[in-house]
Structure formats: structure tokens, C-alpha cells
Amino acid sequence: MTTPTLKDILTTGSTPFSSEDEKLITEAYTFAETAHKNQKRRSGEPYVTHCLSVGLTLREIGMDARTIAAGLLHDVPEDTEVTLTEIEKKFGSEIAYLVDGITKLGKIKLRGTKEELYLENLRKMFLAMARDIRVVIIKLADRLHNMRTLEHVPREKQERIARETIEVYAQIANRLGIGELKGELEDLCFRYLDPENYALTKKLQETYLKEGDLYITRIVALFKTELDKEGVRILNIHGRTKHLYRLFHKLKKHDMDIARVYDLV
């Protein structure tokens, strides 16, 4: 996984930022980098790489500059000596409000029995969503990067974090209609919660993937040709393979026979 840069955030997406938005995001990044200066992730990378990853995910799903700035700053009050008041003074009350909301949401942990606390966490998440949906979306981006780097967390914590993610965060992503994020979260959790079936499903998928990729390439080219003929402006056409977690559940219904799964791509 390549480490994102500030330039990646500023240049990703089909609609460029205004100069004012670029200035805000750059200032938020510089502020976060200074605040986290001597901190490192468990992976040994500078802590600010996490902030950049959150910011890039937010940009990829089309969030605005203020939300991205809050994403870059989201861990500053909790993990550094910089206070929320200082963030408010520098970036205004709206961004400070988002950062404060993320800090509060981060205190919700999955404990005890799954059924009881799944509902309790869901209620709290929805309360946060009712106040400002952007807080939840930043938290989803934060959790996605934490799941992508979960191998650096002690084994005893991996299962708890993965369980919490699949029961709360993936469900919230699903309800918000962010399918790709939900699918990746589920796959990352699957890897830690059921490594044996994860490896088996991955192997089965890879066996059929080459043919599927060729099919996607042909179909995308066909769509482009036909849309061009009709004068339809194309922003993006892409295909994808079925996410592993969902594929596994489908395979179970068909005695693990992937030849009977017709929507692999």
C-alpha cells in the first residue's frame, strides 16, 4: 500500500479544488504534520501518514474541503498537546465541531455481547449522524485506514477491532450507500475473523479472476464505443469483482462451487 501525499489529495477527483480550498487543506495538513511531528504509527511510519490516508479517502468519496481538513486534523486534540480551542482559533468553529465529534465518536467501543451492544452502538452512531453526517463519514475513513494497517496491532486486539468494524462500521457504510467502502471493510474483517475461509475464498476467486478481468475489459470497451456514438460524455466506467466476504457467503449456498456463482464480476 503506497503512502498518500498532500498532492494526491489535491489532484484526485474530477472537479478541481478552488485556490481557497487548496489553501485550507494545505494549512490543515501542515498543522497536523507539526502537531504529530514526533509520533509514529505501530508500523513505524510517521503518524501523519494516517491523516493523509483519511484525507485521501474523503476526497475519493467526494467530500468537501472542510470535511477533508477536519479529517486531516481528526486526531490532533486526542493524541497531541494541541487543544481543540487552538484548532478552533486557527480553522474556525465548523471544523473544530467536526473534529470534536470524531473524538467523541471514537470513545464508542464494542464490549460485552454482540447483539446487545451492536444495537447500542448503532443508536449512538445514528445520534451522531443526526447532528452532522460528516462526522460519521470521517470516522468511517479513519476506521478504513486502521483496518488496512491492522497487521501492526497486537493479535489479541485484532479480533475485537475487526468484530466491532463488521458489526458497526460496515453496517453504517451500507446504510449510507457507500458500497465500495462497506465491501472493503467487510473483506478486511473477514481476513482477521475467519482467516482459513478467507484464504480459501481468495484462492477460488483468483482461479477465475483472469477470465473475469478479460470480460470486464471487453464490456467496458463496448460501453465506451456505444456511448461515444450517442455523444454521451463519459466520466468513468469500471467493473469490479465480487468482494470476498460476500462471495464466501454465496459460495456457502453452492457447496463452495465457484462455477455456480454467476455474478463474480
Side-chain angles (χ1 to χ4, degrees), residues 23 44 74 82 104 157 160 169 184 223 226 240 256:
K23 184 172 181 281
H74 77 278
V82 178
K104 287 173 180 170
K157 287 187 176 181
R160 180 188 67 77
Y169 290 88
E184 187 177 350
F223 269 112
E226 293 302 315
R240 67 169 179 84
M256 300 304 284

Side-chain angles (χ1 to χ4, degrees), residues 60-71:
E60 287 169 344
I61 60 177
M63 300 309 292
D64 67 299
R66 290 184 173 278
T67 309
I68 293 168

Side-chain angles (χ1 to χ4, degrees), residues 36-224:
H36 292 294
K37 189 175 180 182
N38 299 314
Q39 295 178 328
K40 291 192 181 295
R41 300 273 287 168
R42 288 182 187 271
S43 62
E45 291 181 301
Y47 195 92
V48 77
T49 59
H50 171 66
C51 309
L52 284 165
S53 295
V54 171
L56 183 58
T57 296
L58 293 169
R59 175 59 168 158
E60 287 169 344
I61 60 177
M63 300 309 292
D64 67 299
R66 290 184 173 278
T67 309
I68 293 168
L72 290 166
L73 297 164
H74 77 278
D75 276 335
V76 169
E78 192 172 13
D79 293 338
T80 78
E81 293 178 1
V82 178
T83 65
L84 189 66
T85 304
E86 290 174 82
I87 288 176
E88 185 170 6
K89 189 176 178 182
K90 172 76 175 170
F91 296 99
S93 58
E94 183 183 358
I95 288 173
Y97 170 79
L98 294 175
V99 172
D100 187 42
I102 299 153
T103 303
K104 287 173 180 170
L105 213 53
K107 298 185 190 306
I108 300 172
K109 304 289 181 189
L110 194 66
R111 307 283 185 206
T113 63
K114 186 174 84 174
E115 294 78 13
E116 169 198 339
L117 285 160
Y118 167 73
L119 294 171
E120 179 61 22
N121 275 281
L122 220 50
R123 281 193 288 267
K124 288 178 180 176
M125 293 285 271
F126 278 120
L127 283 172
M129 286 168 65
R131 289 196 295 274
D132 199 314
I133 191 70
R134 293 173 296 173
V135 172
V136 177
I137 293 174
I138 295 166
K139 193 63 192 166
L140 286 173
D142 169 57
R143 180 53 63 106
L144 178 63
H145 185 247
N146 284 335
M147 284 302 303
R148 285 172 175 171
T149 55
L150 197 63
E151 72 268 20
H152 301 294
V153 171
R155 181 71 192 123
E156 64 271 16
K157 287 187 176 181
Q158 288 176 349
E159 187 173 340
R160 180 188 67 77
I161 294 168
R163 178 68 61 195
E164 179 180 79
T165 302
I166 206 164
E167 295 293 349
V168 179
Y169 290 88
Q171 299 302 320
I172 294 291
N174 184 45
R175 286 160 199 232
L176 292 179
I178 313 174
E180 281 300 304
L181 199 152
K182 170 227 174 198
E184 187 177 350
L185 283 174
E186 285 183 336
D187 283 359
L188 290 164
C189 294
F190 184 25
R191 178 183 166 192
Y192 291 97
L193 296 173
D194 192 354
E196 190 176 319
N197 280 317
Y198 175 85
L200 174 63
T201 307
K202 195 167 172 43
K203 189 175 178 182
L204 284 169
Q205 187 203 51
E206 285 168 354
T207 306
Y208 284 78
L209 200 55
K210 190 173 181 182
E211 185 182 334
D213 281 344
L214 290 171
Y215 174 78
I216 287 171
T217 303
R218 287 200 306 271
I219 294 298
V220 167
L222 177 63
F223 269 112
K224 283 182 175 175

